[in-house]
Amino acid sequence: MNDTPASSATMPSAGTDSGLPRYAANLNSPQQEAVLTTEGPVLMLAGAGTGKTAALTARLAHLVAMRKAWPSEILCVTFTNKAAREMRERVGRHIGDAVEGMPWLGTFHSIGAKMLRRHAELVGLQSNYTIIDTDDQLRLLKQLIRDQDLDEKRWPPRQLAGLIDRWKNRGLNPADLDAAENEAFANGRGQEFYTLYQERLKALNACDFGDLLLHMLNILRREPEVLKMYQQRFKYILVDEYQDTNQVQYLWLRLLAQERKNICVVGDDDQSIYSWRGAEVANILRFEKDFPGAKVVKLEQNYRSTPHILAAASGLIDANSQRIGKTLWTQFEGGDQVRVIGVWDAPEEARRVGEEAERLEREGASLDQVALLVRAQYQTREFEDRFIQIGLNYRIIGGFRFYERSEIRDALAYLRVIAQPRDDLAFERIYNQPKRGLGAKTLEKMFQHARATDMPLAAASLQLADSDELPKRAAGTIAALMRDFLRWKELAEQTTPAELLRTVMDECGYTAMLQAEKSAESAGRLENLSELARAMEEYETLGDFLEHVSLVMDNERAGDGEKLTIMTMHAAKGLEFDNVFLPGWEEGVFPSQRSLDEGGLASLEEERRLAYVAITRARKRCTILYAANRRIYGQWTSSIPSRFVAELPDDHVTRETTMTGGASLWQANWSESEDPFAHVSTSRPERSSQRGPGWQRALTSGYDTKQLRLKESTRSAASFAAQPRSDIAVGARVFHDKFGYGEVIGQEGNKLEIEFDTSGTKRVIDSFVNVAD
């Protein structure tokens, strides 16, 4: 650790012709004020694109260059490792090697971990504690739930993990939970499981990421000497993206800053969009109350966007009541107004964006500078299909392409097995998804038998289910799954592909699995499955749709080159593009109905902040689109434009519609009695009643077997009658790896009934036995 001041050899020159240090000379006046005001609390309210990183790094360099503090006496907190690296690199350009002596420049978690290593014994840990990841956390919680004889399907580990993370983000220990929080899991056992989890972590000498700050907050609260030590050590505290802090981060920072009060926080209340991660916009709104006499410096000069884009964004966010207030401006002149386009339906929305992107490309714009920002990931599917159709290269940032997402691959695997039971890859993916208690040993048995008999995996599993090769529970589970596939195969010939998907996802338990998790992630996965069903509504047969998906996946292997960027609005924060498209600005889509239902007015204001963030990603052009029609669960549903559309100031917006007859959507009266889209047909052409070949025949064709049949036995298992082995007959002495030696007393095809010496009478498949010597 370098605790010496930066030497003169590494320091920047004393100043410039303006009398300011070089790192401050090129900043505007508010930025310079934020840099040079070193004493006391400072709130740097930095609007989008106003150069807050430049000001923050210059301030950090100034503190070192002016000998205000040793590098090791400055605490500088960021939210990501990338931001920390960028900060270190920028400061290094200003102060040289002195930046290497800044051990307290990093993320909340990295700094919390560094502190906790020094004081681990105060919370019952050793300094070499392990930090467990999400997978380890879920495994541990799963063990606890099983140990307490709780139904894992009703109370899934992922739900408990989300609750514990939320409690820790709020600085709550198990003893701090109130009655409502306690009721959130297992009918009043939330506190009990939280306590058991923390005790188990302590026994393992481990902690999760939430503990890194919660443990340190507890230490600072309970150990005055430790708190005093850090308050004296940190002469200056700098915090980036303060609007994104959660409660435990806020409490931790406030304790550390109370002694000297030399804390500078940088943030934008209008860009607080992560409440679902625990972020609380109230933290930045009450900074002046927490630190009386704080200087508020507003960075309002934008270096990114045109005047119309900034004015549109400012006019929109002005409708929020929970904000400090500022107005962005720029020295740029001219530029296009923000375009607001109403289209007839979602397919036309995708066509319009594709045409506009192609036009920009023809005019010389780089596709790398074109972005499509959506409110929810499920919205990308329509655009991906369209872009592939017209050959427009694109990339997905911050997530998977639609058909690559795990829940979509799972759903498609079910459909592939229904359409083609010989699809071993698809069957292997979903035989135990959702969890059915079929482990690796069961799969190994299935593969072993499939190879021995040259059968597909599904067919092999059927034979095994009607034998004693598998435990009764596993055999019954497989038999039940195969009966489901038989029923779904018949249903596929009677209903639409979309209706088939919804039925399969419900009956196999996949929908219930995601619903039980009760998290933002699981809700998004459910939305993706709904969008998959909507996509299937355009296809007459399951085969047609699966062929389309295959073509899409093949097209997704596009090579390098310029590509349009698709991402969510949340993922786009901090980025910028010349041209930005914002589709789906309709009530229920944006603002999200789910968010409004869960959070009311507070969520509405956050949705509006998200709209502000989305608009201000654009440098030159911003296009907002909304559709009058969206197809939901097979029915055309009329939509009304987002309230945010009406809140955009007319002086900076061009409004147009591409609908037949020139009807103006955003001015329409959307009462049920005057629904202009009531005449749109929701019916589908009649499907052929002709049945295709049965699923049994698809499974067994090509093999010398009898027709597959289901047996209504106690195990309700399905069976094959296959050619028997020529070297085994009734009376033969055989050996089985599991049951030992025995004598064949009956034979039906490749099924043997064997009286084992020590295991009794069993039904086994002949490929699993050897003739005894």
Side-chain angles (χ1 to χ4, degrees):
M1 184 182 297
N2 181 7
D3 279 350
T4 60
S7 66
S8 58
T10 63
M11 297 301 298
S13 57
T16 62
D17 293 341
S18 64
L20 293 171
R22 291 192 182 279
Y23 47 75
N26 293 326
L27 303 178
N28 61 38
S29 294
Q31 289 173 322
Q32 291 172 352
E33 183 181 10
V35 169
L36 302 177
T37 304
T38 59
E39 306 309 307
V42 176
L43 169 58
M44 197 188 308
L45 200 62
T50 57
K52 60 101 174 175
T53 303
L56 184 61
T57 53
R59 178 183 173 88
L60 186 55
H62 183 66
L63 294 173
V64 176
M66 295 296 105
R67 281 29 177 220
K68 292 287 184 179
W70 304 91
S72 61
E73 294 175 327
I74 301 174
L75 172 63
C76 183
V77 188
T78 66
F79 266 84
T80 65
N81 290 317
K82 178 182 177 182
R85 287 193 300 270
E86 182 181 358
M87 184 81 67
R88 192 175 293 275
E89 291 170 0
R90 288 197 182 198
V91 173
R93 289 197 289 269
H94 293 316
I95 64 175
D97 295 340
V99 73
E100 299 304 321
M102 303 188 71
W104 302 105
L105 191 165
T107 65
F108 276 102
H109 288 118
S110 67
I111 293 172
K114 188 189 295 288
M115 289 182 173
L116 188 57
R117 296 284 180 198
R118 301 182 177 191
H119 311 286
E121 73 282 355
L122 296 177
V123 288
L125 297 173
Q126 300 174 27
S127 60
N128 64 339
Y129 64 81
T130 300
I131 304 173
I132 65 171
D133 60 18
T134 301
D135 289 340
D136 289 334
Q137 181 189 31
L138 291 174
R139 278 195 291 271
L140 177 54
L141 291 174
K142 186 174 184 178
Q143 292 174 9
L144 293 177
I145 290 171
R146 286 181 173 178
D147 290 345
Q148 296 298 311
D149 294 325
L150 210 61
D151 185 352
E152 184 183 333
K153 293 182 178 179
R154 184 178 180 187
W155 303 106
R158 194 175 295 277
Q159 179 190 355
L160 181 56
L163 287 170
I164 291 175
D165 183 61
R166 188 181 75 188
W167 293 330
K168 291 184 177 182
N169 285 342
R170 293 168 56 194
L172 299 177
N173 296 290
D176 300 323
L177 299 188
D178 59 22
E181 294 291 353
N182 191 36
E183 287 291 333
F185 189 78
N187 298 323
R189 299 179 67 184
Q191 184 182 67
E192 175 188 352
F193 274 92
Y194 188 6
T195 301
L196 289 171
Y197 174 65
Q198 292 301 99
E199 290 174 349
R200 183 61 176 152
L201 285 176
K202 189 178 296 184
L204 295 170
N205 191 35
C207 61
D208 60 26
F209 282 100
D211 286 326
L212 297 177
L213 286 178
L214 181 60
H215 280 328
M216 275 312 304
L217 178 63
N218 290 333
I219 291 172
L220 295 177
R221 283 171 163 174
R222 300 169 187 168
E223 306 292 336
E225 293 182 0
V226 176
L227 175 60
K228 190 73 172 179
M229 179 189 71
Y230 283 111
Q231 287 177 336
Q232 291 178 348
R233 167 176 283 274
F234 298 134
K235 292 184 177 179
Y236 294 92
I237 298 175
L238 292 81
V239 188
D240 194 15
E241 302 287 7
Y242 191 66
Q243 79 280 347
D244 292 334
T245 54
N246 59 34
Q247 185 73 359
V248 71
Q249 292 163 344
Y250 161 79
L251 294 171
W252 181 77
L253 285 168
R254 195 176 66 174
L255 278 175
L256 293 175
Q258 282 304 313
E259 174 83 5
R260 299 180 184 274
K261 295 184 172 56
N262 287 333
I263 179 171
C264 174
V265 302
V266 184
D268 183 3
D269 53 330
D270 291 336
Q271 296 189 73
S272 180
I273 58 174
Y274 297 118
S275 65
W276 46 278
R277 293 181 183 171
E280 296 190 15
V281 68
N283 293 344
I284 193 171
L285 295 177
R286 66 185 173 209
F287 183 81
E288 293 178 86
K289 182 178 179 180
D290 289 335
F291 297 96
K295 177 180 282 293
V296 178
V297 180
K298 296 183 180 181
L299 305 187
E300 298 173 303
Q301 183 176 355
N302 179 280
Y303 296 94
R304 175 189 300 158
S305 306
T306 65
H308 287 303
I309 291 173
L310 296 180
S314 295
L316 173 64
I317 199 63
D318 193 52
N320 270 6
S321 60
Q322 297 297 310
R323 62 190 297 260
I324 298 174
K326 63 184 175 306
T327 302
L328 299 182
W329 63 277
T330 180
Q331 290 182 337
F332 298 146
E333 297 181 357
D336 296 340
Q337 291 186 322
V338 173
R339 299 170 66 197
V340 178
I341 302 175
V343 296
W344 180 254
D345 57 16
E348 184 180 350
E349 182 181 55
R351 288 194 298 272
R352 182 65 182 263
V353 172
E355 292 169 359
E356 294 283 340
E358 288 183 313
R359 179 183 60 79
L360 289 170
E361 190 176 24
R362 288 194 302 271
E363 294 174 356
S366 168
L367 278 183
D368 289 338
Q369 286 300 321
V370 181
L372 177 79
L373 309 183
V374 296
R375 173 61 182 88
Q377 287 191 341
Y378 73 86
Q379 292 176 258
T380 70
R381 201 278 312 167
E382 192 93 52
F383 295 96
E384 290 186 65
D385 282 359
R386 180 59 183 172
F387 294 164
I388 288 169
Q389 184 180 10
I390 65 177
L392 186 70
N393 287 340
Y394 70 94
R395 65 170 68 87
I396 299 283
I397 300 295
F400 295 103
R401 291 173 180 253
F402 184 80
Y403 292 108
E404 292 176 346
R405 292 164 187 156
S406 61
E407 64 276 8
I408 301 301
R409 285 186 176 273
D410 289 343
L412 292 175
Y414 273 98
L415 298 176
R416 284 164 54 189
V417 175
I418 292 170
Q420 175 49 271
R422 293 169 173 270
D423 193 332
D424 285 359
L425 292 176
F427 185 76
E428 180 184 357
R429 183 180 181 94
I430 50 82
Y431 84 101
N432 196 38
Q433 180 67 348
K435 301 298 184 186
R436 300 184 174 90
L438 302 176
K441 290 185 179 179
T442 301
L443 182 62
E444 182 181 353
K445 278 277 189 182
M446 289 158 54
F447 268 119
Q448 182 182 350
H449 185 48
R451 288 191 297 267
T453 58
D454 195 27
M455 285 183 176
L457 204 56
S461 71
L462 278 165
Q463 278 206 344
L464 287 174
D466 195 34
S467 75
D468 291 320
E469 299 291 348
L470 297 177
K472 289 184 178 180
R473 181 177 178 181
T477 299
I478 291 175
L481 177 63
M482 304 317 289
R483 287 198 306 273
D484 286 340
F485 272 113
L486 283 169
R487 186 176 66 258
W488 296 331
K489 176 68 178 179
E490 294 177 356
L491 183 64
E493 301 300 326
Q494 302 168 4
T495 189
T496 66
E499 291 164 350
L500 173 66
L501 173 67
R502 296 184 186 110
T503 299
V504 171
M505 290 293 95
D506 286 344
E507 293 185 354
C508 78
Y510 205 98
T511 300
M513 175 189 72
L514 294 179
Q515 290 173 337
E517 291 180 8
K518 298 178 182 178
S519 66
E521 179 185 15
S522 61
R525 296 176 70 189
L526 284 167
E527 288 177 341
N528 289 338
L529 289 174
S530 294
E531 178 59 22
L532 178 64
R534 204 214 65 74
M536 296 177 70
E537 290 162 4
E538 302 172 11
Y539 296 86
E540 282 300 303
T541 69
L542 178 58
D544 289 344
F545 175 71
L546 292 176
E547 181 179 332
H548 164 75
V549 173
S550 297
L551 295 174
V552 168
M553 297 297 285
D554 183 66
N555 272 281
E556 286 180 352
R557 301 185 183 94
D560 297 330
E562 295 180 356
K563 296 179 181 180
L564 179 149
T565 297
I566 302 177
M567 62 199 313
T568 64
M569 296 174 181
H570 284 99
K573 186 173 179 294
L575 302 178
E576 56 187 55
F577 303 88
D578 285 347
N579 305 281
V580 171
F581 293 94
L582 306 175
W585 280 45
E586 301 135 30
E587 287 294 309
V589 178
F590 189 48
S592 162
Q593 190 60 51
R594 177 162 54 88
S595 293
L596 298 185
D597 291 343
E598 293 175 356
L601 180 60
S603 290
L604 173 60
E605 295 214 344
E606 179 161 329
E607 292 285 292
R608 190 176 284 111
R609 292 194 292 270
L610 186 57
Y612 170 86
V613 167
I615 293 173
T616 55
R617 298 311 93 195
R619 283 193 289 253
K620 297 179 180 179
R621 301 174 192 87
C622 178
T623 302
I624 297 169
L625 301 100
Y626 58 88
N629 263 351
R630 288 206 184 265
R631 205 172 188 181
I632 301 175
Y633 296 119
Q635 301 294 318
W636 283 109
T637 303
S638 59
S639 304
I640 60 173
S642 167
R643 67 194 74 191
F644 301 153
V645 171
E647 292 170 359
L648 294 168
D650 289 335
D651 291 345
H652 304 282
V653 173
T654 299
R655 305 178 191 269
E656 59 183 274
T657 178
T658 63
M659 292 186 298
T660 304
S664 178
L665 267 182
W666 78 285
Q667 292 178 335
N669 179 3
W670 295 92
S671 64
E672 291 186 6
S673 59
E674 297 180 359
D675 182 0
F677 307 110
H679 65 281
V680 178
S681 173
T682 61
S683 62
R684 296 177 59 90
E686 290 297 320
R687 294 177 55 83
S688 171
S689 61
Q690 183 178 357
R691 295 290 186 90
W695 200 63
Q696 298 98 319
R697 188 155 63 254
L699 262 176
T700 58
S701 61
Y703 305 106
D704 187 10
T705 63
K706 296 180 181 179
Q707 178 78 11
L708 176 67
R709 64 192 185 279
L710 285 178
K711 291 185 177 180
E712 295 299 329
S713 63
T714 55
R715 286 170 292 181
S716 297
S719 65
F720 281 93
Q723 288 286 357
R725 283 172 53 176
S726 60
D727 59 338
I728 296 180
V730 174
R733 186 76 174 164
V734 296
F735 176 79
H736 188 282
D737 287 340
K738 179 179 179 182
F739 303 123
Y741 287 97
E743 180 180 334
V744 178
I745 61 175
Q747 185 174 21
E748 180 184 355
N750 67 340
K751 298 287 182 63
L752 303 176
E753 187 173 0
I754 302 175
E755 181 72 32
F756 288 100
D757 297 348
T758 59
S759 304
T761 302
K762 304 290 183 183
R763 285 169 53 84
V764 301
I765 298 171
D766 59 15
S767 62
F768 284 90
V769 301
N770 295 314
V771 177
D773 297 332

